[in-house]
Amino acid sequence: MKKIALTLFGICSISAMAQTQLIAHRGYWNTPNPTAKNSVEALKNTQKIKVYGSEFDVHQTKDGVLVINHDNDINGVVIADTNFGDLKNQKLSNGEAIPTLKDYLITGSKDQNLKLIVEIKPTQSKELDEKIAQSTLALVKQLKLENHVEYISFSLNTCKALKAYQPSVKVQYLMGDLSPAQVKEIGLDGIDYYYKIFQKNPEWIAQAKSLGLITNAWTVNDIKVYQELEKLGIDFITTDTPVDFIKK
Ligand code: MG
């Protein structure tokens, strides 16, 4: 009896693991009355739905403050060229001031079941990429959120630096120009690629899995694409429409 129960548990575990999970792209902003992407409000909205994670983008100000924003600039003010004192009053479309990474992580820490997917944006230099990776890890450590965050980046320098400074962190590469074997060789944890890369190279999902890499596709808002990738066994889908894909 015990053996049967254990076997059943094993089957259930495997199917639970195999299920494609969702990550809200820049938070769950696409509500009936949409709010600003990458806003604290979008993060709070994600905490109210049942998904794996909430993604957001990190830049650094000229004087070294980490802030959340997708583009290099907010309202035309270039983040990397501006001290935080001159940036902090810039508003998102929902009226919030530009969030700092610290404030964002503190809000995120209130829901331990929702992973915080930190995208560190590339900079003009390898040194700066490494410095931002280091400061982000330090802040996460200070807030005791090491088990709560995962990292993604288009910058291979950033990905490598994160793993070098703290090998236990999960880091996925975004660019889509490296095969699963190449990403494994570099020592990263997964591939988080534009969905068309997986459509062009569908075998990469099985290859990645056999290498023990995580697979994730962005930004999937079409249910047909979601189903196609789910059938291929993708681990995660990053989407602007998380509620549409939540299994009832
Ligand atoms: Mg992003």
Side-chain angles (χ1 to χ4, degrees):
M1 189 64 195
K2 198 176 168 192
K3 199 173 172 187
I4 295 168
L6 279 174
T7 309
L8 278 173
F9 177 74
I11 292 166
C12 291
S13 308
I14 290 163
S15 63
M17 275 167 62
Q19 201 176 350
T20 301
Q21 300 196 73
L22 300 170
I23 293 167
H25 182 232
R26 305 185 206 168
Y28 178 36
W29 55 270
N30 195 10
T31 44
N33 292 309
T35 189
K37 298 172 185 177
N38 275 323
S39 62
V40 172
E41 190 183 356
L43 173 60
K44 285 182 177 169
N45 288 342
T46 321
Q47 292 173 330
K48 294 176 197 153
I49 58 174
K50 286 213 179 322
V51 292
Y52 178 85
S54 194
E55 185 263 359
F56 50 91
D57 306 289
V58 175
H59 290 266
Q60 184 175 261
T61 63
K62 191 177 175 186
D63 56 346
V65 178
L66 298 166
V67 294
I68 310 301
N69 198 59
H70 180 265
D71 295 344
N72 291 337
D73 72 282
I74 175 163
N75 307 324
V77 180
V78 177
I79 296 169
D81 297 342
T82 310
N83 288 332
F84 182 66
D86 297 324
L87 188 82
K88 66 181 183 190
N89 294 326
Q90 290 299 326
K91 298 273 192 287
L92 309 184
S93 62
N94 67 352
E96 278 179 35
I98 183 171
T100 62
L101 175 61
K102 187 171 185 181
D103 288 346
Y104 215 82
L105 291 174
I106 289 170
T107 301
S109 70
K110 292 177 182 148
D111 181 355
Q112 292 290 327
N113 294 318
L114 181 74
K115 294 279 185 199
L116 302 169
I117 313 298
V118 183
E119 178 179 351
I120 303 181
K121 288 295 188 185
T123 70
Q124 301 298 326
S125 78
K126 184 170 181 270
E127 290 69 27
L128 199 49
D129 281 350
E130 290 171 353
K131 192 165 169 261
I132 295 176
Q134 200 167 19
S135 334
T136 305
L137 289 170
L139 183 56
V140 167
K141 188 175 178 194
Q142 184 198 326
L143 296 170
K144 299 188 170 55
L145 289 173
E146 288 104 323
N147 296 324
H148 200 150
V149 301
E150 296 177 13
Y151 298 90
I152 55 176
S153 187
F154 281 98
S155 160
L156 207 46
N157 293 328
T158 301
C159 291
K160 286 179 182 171
L162 287 162
K163 288 302 277 187
Y165 293 132
Q166 199 180 319
S168 61
V169 294
K170 263 189 206 167
V171 181
Q172 296 184 65
Y173 180 54
L174 291 168
M175 189 64 91
D177 57 336
L178 298 178
S179 70
Q182 288 171 308
V183 169
K184 181 72 182 177
E185 176 70 25
I186 292 165
L188 306 182
D189 301 287
I191 50 174
D192 183 355
Y193 287 172
Y194 181 41
Y195 71 88
K196 287 191 178 174
I197 301 276
F198 287 118
Q199 287 178 323
K200 205 172 150 196
N201 306 279
E203 71 284 2
W204 278 10
I205 294 175
Q207 281 176 18
K209 281 170 167 287
S210 71
L211 292 165
L213 294 174
I214 305 160
T215 51
N216 190 342
W218 51 271
T219 302
V220 178
N221 299 332
D222 179 337
I223 189 75
K224 287 200 183 90
V225 177
Y226 171 89
Q227 287 164 344
E228 176 191 337
L229 294 172
E230 187 186 35
K231 224 176 263 177
L232 290 167
I234 197 141
D235 298 313
F236 297 96
I237 291 289
T238 300
T239 176
D240 291 323
T241 54
V243 170
D244 293 356
F245 298 161
I246 292 173
K247 299 239 163 70
K248 305 290 184 301

